[in-house]
Structures are given as structure tokens and as C-alpha cells.
Amino acid sequence: MPSPAPEHASRGFRHASVLLDGAVAALVHEPRGAYLDGTFGRGGHSREILGRLAPEGRLLAIDRDPQAIAEAAAITDPRFAIEQGEFARLGEIADRHGLHGRLAGILLDVGVSSPQLDDPERGFSFLRDGPLDMRMDPTRGESAADFIGRAKEAEIARVFKTYGEERFARRLARAIVARRTERPFTRTADLADVVKTAHPAWEKGKHPATRVFQALRIQVNGELEQLDAALEAALEALAPGGHLVVISFHSLEDRRVKRFIRQHVRGDTHLPRGVPIRDDQLERRLEALGKAQRPTAAEVEDNPRARSAVMRVARKRH
């Protein structure tokens, strides 16, 4: 068994892969198989996967962040390949590599990575001033500043409520729209200050802009829609017996993953009561492998951002 992959840095920003050993142990059940890492990040999981593969094994990775693609250039292992793209497109990416329906395992480590949060120039964090961007691929799509600048108050409030579960969504949206009439939002610290001033009930130990920044990041990157599409694509791209491992970091993500696995474990439950049907006709396509797993206390102490992580594992039946 190889030693755990080292921590890696991008432009000096530390990155520790969450649930590293547990995720890769759950994923790699056939060392000679082909695997897909749908969220390369800074390569912690990918490097550990490669360390567990046999010489004939393969690993295909995906990431939409150009910095992650640049980081992957350091991996010269001939068993490894990476493509830039959204993990919602993992099916077509796997198909281009001749792996669709043949993958022994797929890993999805959902959400934002530590280097993205720590680099002020990416605009993800309210703790460090930087451009109000938040795009995982800064070359495509609408930035957070663009969204805040053009969206109506009701739409901003909906995003805060739906994606941030923010109780005071309407009040905060109203404050943002009122301020932008004076000058547009372009910096993270400016937005955080407006939210902090307008927020009437600060939670102990939590910055009042936490939920707003989470909501904007999810909106800008289409994260929940991406996750839904990736889960469906993964089910088709896996070979029978293949493992699906998903690590999520907040309840909006985990509820989707849990619901998806449960749906395919139970099969078609919409049939009328009393209709005679064989078990193999229920389309039970997944088998849950154990219960949801969380980081150990030691891992959370070493990496506080791991505290909210939840890992779920399932196996494709047919």
C-alpha cells in the first residue's frame, strides 16, 4: 500500500485533499481497471489513485479550472490523462477516451478547492479582498459581479434563499440593490461589508456574509445542476460493478447525492400497489456500500475545512 499522497500547493496555496485514504480505498477495488477523477483540483486524490493502480490501470481526470489543468502537467505517468471541462460532461469525455461504460470507479469531490478559496484573485472568499469573480473557469460565463450588477432584487433574494439558505435573503438583496445604484460591486470586501452591515442576526463563529458568498458561488458555477447531471452521467459511464464515490461539503449537495443513490437503490417505486413484478424488473441500478462517512477528528483538526465533508459510496449493479 503506498503512502498517502503529499499535500500540494498551487501558487503557494496549501491544499489538503479531504477524506483522501477513505475515498481512494472505496474507489479502487480493481487495480487493473480504469478510473475517473471528476474533480482533479490540485491532484491529491488522483496521485493517490495512481499509487494504487497496477501497470495496466488507467486514470482519466477532469477539471474546469485552468490552474488545475496546469497543475496536472506535473504528472508524467503514462496511465494518466486529463481534460479541461465540466464534470457534468464526464460521459462524453469518457467516451472520447474509449472508457464509457467501462469505468471501474468514478470519484466526484464536489465544491470549491482550498487554493481557489485562498487566492484572493479568484474572488471566492469574503476574508481576503479581491475581484468579485467566483468562476471556477474564469474564462467562461458570468462572474459574481456581473450577476449582482444585472439581477433584479427578487432574483438575488431567491439565490440567497435557495443556494445559501439565508433567512434574511430579501433584506440583504434589498441592501445590495440600493448600494449598487451608487456604484457597482467589483470587490469581495466591498460586498462583504455591505452584507455585514445589513445583516441583523450574526451567527456565533460565522461571518455574516458566509451564506451569501456560498449562494453566489453556486449560482455563478451552476453547481447543483452540474452535480445532478454528473451523477446521471456517472451511472451510465460506470461498468457493472463499478464504484461511485461522492464527497460533498454542504447539505444542498449531500441531499442530492443521497436522493440519487436512494432512488437507484430502490428502483422504480412508481408502480401501482399490488402489481406483480420480479425484483430484476425494478431497475435497481445501484447498491449502497455502507453508510455516509465523515472525516475523523484528527483530519478536521489538521484541515478545518474538512469538518462538513460527507462521503457516500455506491456500486453499479448492472
Side-chain angles (χ1 to χ4, degrees):
M1 187 72 65
S3 60
E7 293 170 355
H8 294 274
S10 177
R11 295 174 60 189
F13 300 108
R14 177 180 180 272
H15 178 64
S17 297
V18 174
L19 291 163
L20 179 65
D21 288 332
V24 177
L27 181 76
V28 182
H29 59 100
E30 170 48 72
R32 296 172 297 175
Y35 293 85
L36 186 145
D37 181 354
T39 44
F40 179 81
R42 295 306 178 263
H45 287 117
S46 280
R47 289 178 173 88
E48 182 70 11
I49 292 166
L50 287 168
R52 296 176 185 238
L53 293 185
E56 57 268 49
R58 291 180 64 185
L59 175 62
L60 173 62
I62 302 170
D63 208 293
R64 55 175 161 173
D65 188 335
Q67 291 181 7
I69 301 301
E71 181 81 16
I75 299 179
T76 58
D77 193 315
R79 300 170 299 172
F80 176 77
I82 189 167
E83 279 207 25
Q84 184 174 358
E86 301 166 342
F87 67 7
R89 297 173 47 237
L90 68 85
E92 61 186 84
I93 292 173
D95 190 48
R96 280 202 294 272
H97 290 258
L99 297 176
H100 194 268
R102 298 176 51 205
L103 289 165
I106 295 174
L107 171 65
L108 302 176
D109 183 1
V110 185
V112 66
S113 70
S114 291
Q116 289 170 330
L117 284 170
D118 293 338
D119 184 352
E121 293 304 307
R122 301 302 300 272
F124 285 99
S125 177
F126 45 79
L127 297 176
R128 299 170 179 84
D129 186 37
L132 186 58
D133 194 314
M134 299 194 193
R135 290 172 294 173
M136 292 182 181
D137 180 353
T139 67
R140 300 179 63 186
E142 181 179 56
S143 71
D146 292 337
F147 174 76
I148 287 293
R150 62 92 182 155
K152 294 181 179 179
E153 180 181 316
E155 185 179 4
I156 296 172
R158 178 192 61 80
V159 167
F160 291 172
K161 179 69 173 178
T162 305
Y163 297 151
E165 299 178 301
E166 172 56 66
R167 286 190 299 152
F168 302 99
R170 293 178 63 185
R171 178 170 181 155
L172 300 181
R174 192 179 310 121
I176 287 169
V177 170
R179 213 312 298 277
R180 80 182 182 192
T181 60
E182 303 170 11
R183 65 181 188 279
F185 287 96
T186 61
R187 307 290 296 182
T188 56
D190 185 19
L191 177 61
D193 285 344
V194 169
V195 172
K196 184 167 61 174
T197 301
H199 205 294
W202 295 16
E203 298 177 53
K204 184 177 181 181
K206 180 177 287 189
H207 192 287
T210 300
R211 296 180 185 275
V212 163
F213 271 65
Q214 173 185 297
L216 285 173
R217 193 198 81 216
I218 291 173
Q219 165 69 23
V220 164
N221 294 291
E223 291 181 32
L224 299 183
E225 296 83 358
Q226 286 277 321
L227 176 58
D228 289 342
L231 291 171
E232 294 289 348
L235 184 57
E236 301 305 323
L238 284 169
H243 289 194
L244 173 65
V245 179
V246 186
I247 303 170
S248 55
F249 288 85
H250 57 73
S251 59
L252 293 175
E253 296 167 342
D254 184 54
R255 283 199 295 266
R256 277 172 151 75
V257 177
K258 182 179 180 180
R259 183 171 61 243
F260 176 83
I261 292 175
R262 184 175 58 213
Q263 171 191 341
H264 290 286
V265 166
R266 292 177 176 176
D268 187 353
T269 58
H270 300 292
L271 295 169
R273 185 184 299 274
V275 172
I277 188 169
R278 298 193 310 272
D279 186 70
D280 63 346
Q281 293 176 305
L282 286 173
E283 285 295 310
R284 291 174 173 162
R285 303 191 66 191
L286 288 176
E287 173 189 0
L289 299 182
K291 298 180 179 180
Q293 299 180 43
R294 297 181 180 274
T296 64
E299 182 171 5
V300 172
E301 183 177 359
D302 180 61
N303 179 16
R305 286 177 180 156
R307 65 184 178 276
S308 60
V310 180
M311 182 175 76
R312 297 186 186 273
V313 184
R315 177 166 53 217
K316 183 175 178 178
R317 295 165 64 103
H318 58 80

